[in-house]
C-alpha cells in the first residue's frame, strides 16, 4: 500500500488552514489512518483548529489499544471536538473556529470513511470508474436533497461555501460513516474543497487514471487547481490500493 499527503496554500489565501495526515502503519487501534481537515474562523483560529484536531485525534488513537477500530476513531473525533469547542468558549481569539474532517482507514476487506463538513472522499475503481463516497454537509446539498436547488446552478455556486456541520462549533457533532469493499478499488482520494471547487469530478478522475507516480498525481491535482485560479488552500491524500503498490 502506498499513500501520499500534500497541501498547498493556493494562489489567493494568505495562509494555509488545511492539515493532512497519512500513515500506512498502525495508529493505536487503527491499522492505518488517512485524514484531511480544512480549518475556518480567521487566520490563526483556522490554522489552529485543523492542526490541533489532527494532533488530538492521533494522540487519542495512540491510547486506544484494545478497542475496535471504528469506535476508537469515532471516540477520538468526539473527544477532539469537545476539547476544541471548550477552548473556543474560553479564548476570544479562537471564537468561531471550526474545521471539516474526512478520514479513512483500511482493513483487509474494506475501507471505512468518516466525514464532517464538505471535505470529500472519492474512490477510483479498477475499471476506471470514479465516484464520490461522502456527501457534503452543506446548505446547497441540503437544498438539492430537498428538491429546492439544482446542483451546479448559479444559486448553488453562490452558496456552496456554507457548511452545515463542522468540528469545534458545538459541544457535540454528528458524523457520517461509510464502509466500502476493497475489491475492485484502485485508489482513494481525500481532499478539501480547494480542489473540488476548482476541478470537476471528470477532470480529477482523468488525472488519477493517468500513468504517473502517486506523488506526481498529487502534484498534478494541485497544479491543475492552481491553474484554474487556486482560490483556496488545496489538499489531497491519495491512497493507492493496487496490487504491488509500495510506499514511496
Amino acid at each position: 500500500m502506498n499513500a501520499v499527503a500534500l497541501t498547498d496554500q493556493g494562489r489567493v489565501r494568505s495562509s494555509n488552514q488545511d492539515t493532512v495526515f497519512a500513515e500506512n502503519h498502525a495508529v493505536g487501534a487503527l491499522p492505518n489512518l488517512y485524514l484531511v481537515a480544512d480549518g475556518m474562523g480567521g487566520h490563526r483560529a483556522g490554522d489552529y483548529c485543523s492542526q490541533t484536531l489532527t494532533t488530538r485525534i492521533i494522540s487519542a488513537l495512540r491510547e486506544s489499544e484494545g478497542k475496535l477500530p471504528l469506535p476508537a476513531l469515532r471516540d477520538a473525533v468526539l473527544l477532539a471536538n469537545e476539547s476544541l469547542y471548550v477552548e473556543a468558549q474560553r479564548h476570544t481569539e479562537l471564537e468561531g473556529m471550526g474545521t471539516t474532517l474526512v478520514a479513512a482507514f483500511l482493513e483487509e476487506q474494506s475501507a471505512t470513511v468518516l466525514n464532517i463538513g464538505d471535505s470529500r472522499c472519492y474512490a477510483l475503481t479498477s475499471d476506471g470508474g470514479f465516484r464520490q463516497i461522502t456527501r457534503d454537509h452543506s446548505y446547497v446539498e441540503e437544498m438539492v436533497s430537498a428538491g429546492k436547488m439544482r446542483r451546479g446552478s448559479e444559486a448553488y455556486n453562490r452558496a456552496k461555501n456554507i457548511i452545515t456541520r463542522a468540528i469545534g462549533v458545538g459541544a457535540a457533532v454528528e458524523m457520517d460513516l461509510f464502509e466500502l469493499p476493497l475489491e475492485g478499488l484502485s485508489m482513494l482520494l481525500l481532499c478539501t474543497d480547494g480542489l473540488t471547487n476548482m476541478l470537476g469530478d471528470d477532470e480529477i478522475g482523468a488525472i488519477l487514471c493517468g500513468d504517473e507516480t502517486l506523488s506526481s498525481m498529487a502534484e498534478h491535482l494541485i497544479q491543475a487547481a492552481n491553474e484554474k485560479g487556486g482560490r483556496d488552500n488545496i489538499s489531497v491524500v491519495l491512497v493507492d490500493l493496487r496490487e504491488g503498490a509500495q510506499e514511496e
Side-chain angles (χ1 to χ4, degrees), residues 151-202:
R151 187 177 289 112
S153 66
E154 184 178 344
Y156 182 98
N157 290 330
R158 279 200 309 268
K160 66 192 303 183
N161 64 325
I162 303 172
I163 62 174
T164 54
R165 292 188 206 173
I167 289 175
V169 301
V173 66
E174 185 179 353
M175 63 193 78
D176 284 352
L177 298 167
F178 305 86
E179 185 175 341
L180 53 157
L182 291 186
E183 185 176 0
L185 287 186
S186 292
M187 200 174 299
L188 290 180
L189 165 66
L190 282 63
C191 61
T192 58
D193 63 348
L195 178 74
T196 55
N197 283 341
M198 295 293 97
L199 301 178
D201 287 3
D202 56 340

Side-chain angles (χ1 to χ4, degrees), residues 113-127:
V113 179
L114 175 156
N115 84 296
I116 300 165
D118 62 356
S119 293
R120 295 178 178 176
C121 177
Y122 289 88
L124 180 73
T125 58
S126 54
D127 60 2

Side-chain angles (χ1 to χ4, degrees), residues 30 61 69-79 114 175 177:
L30 270 63
L61 286 172
L70 179 54
L73 178 58
R74 187 174 54 218
D75 290 350
V77 171
L78 293 174
L79 184 65
L114 175 156
M175 63 193 78
L177 298 167

Side-chain angles (χ1 to χ4, degrees), residues 7-193:
T7 185
D8 186 84
Q9 185 171 311
R11 293 187 168 180
V12 174
R13 301 290 177 133
S14 60
S15 65
N16 191 345
Q17 299 186 46
D18 290 356
T19 301
V20 294
F21 179 83
E23 176 55 75
N24 293 325
H25 305 291
V27 182
L30 270 63
N32 43 65
L33 177 63
Y34 312 98
L35 67 80
V36 170
D38 182 354
M40 59 188 184
H43 175 92
R44 180 171 180 271
D47 293 355
Y48 178 82
C49 199
S50 68
Q51 292 169 9
T52 305
L53 170 71
T54 302
T55 299
R56 291 180 183 173
I57 287 175
I58 294 167
S59 177
L61 286 172
R62 295 201 190 281
E63 303 295 324
S64 67
E65 295 285 355
K67 287 187 176 181
L68 292 173
L70 179 54
L73 178 58
R74 187 174 54 218
D75 290 350
V77 171
L78 293 174
L79 184 65
N81 173 79
E82 183 179 8
S83 67
L84 285 165
Y85 175 70
V86 169
E87 274 190 87
Q89 305 310 299
R90 293 176 176 172
H91 302 282
T92 56
E93 70 273 18
L94 299 178
E95 186 178 356
M97 73 173 176
T99 181
T100 69
L101 173 68
V102 58
F105 65 87
L106 311 178
E107 297 179 281
E108 287 189 9
Q109 303 295 328
S110 64
T112 299
V113 179
L114 175 156
N115 84 296
I116 300 165
D118 62 356
S119 293
R120 295 178 178 176
C121 177
Y122 289 88
L124 180 73
T125 58
S126 54
D127 60 2
F130 184 66
R131 63 188 177 94
Q132 183 177 339
I133 302 301
T134 53
R135 183 180 68 85
D136 294 355
H137 301 135
S138 64
Y139 166 75
V140 293
E141 283 301 316
E142 289 187 2
M143 291 297 100
V144 169
S145 296
K148 297 179 179 180
M149 187 179 288
R150 181 174 56 83
R151 187 177 289 112
S153 66
E154 184 178 344
Y156 182 98
N157 290 330
R158 279 200 309 268
K160 66 192 303 183
N161 64 325
I162 303 172
I163 62 174
T164 54
R165 292 188 206 173
I167 289 175
V169 301
V173 66
E174 185 179 353
M175 63 193 78
D176 284 352
L177 298 167
F178 305 86
E179 185 175 341
L180 53 157
L182 291 186
E183 185 176 0
L185 287 186
S186 292
M187 200 174 299
L188 290 180
L189 165 66
L190 282 63
C191 61
T192 58
D193 63 348

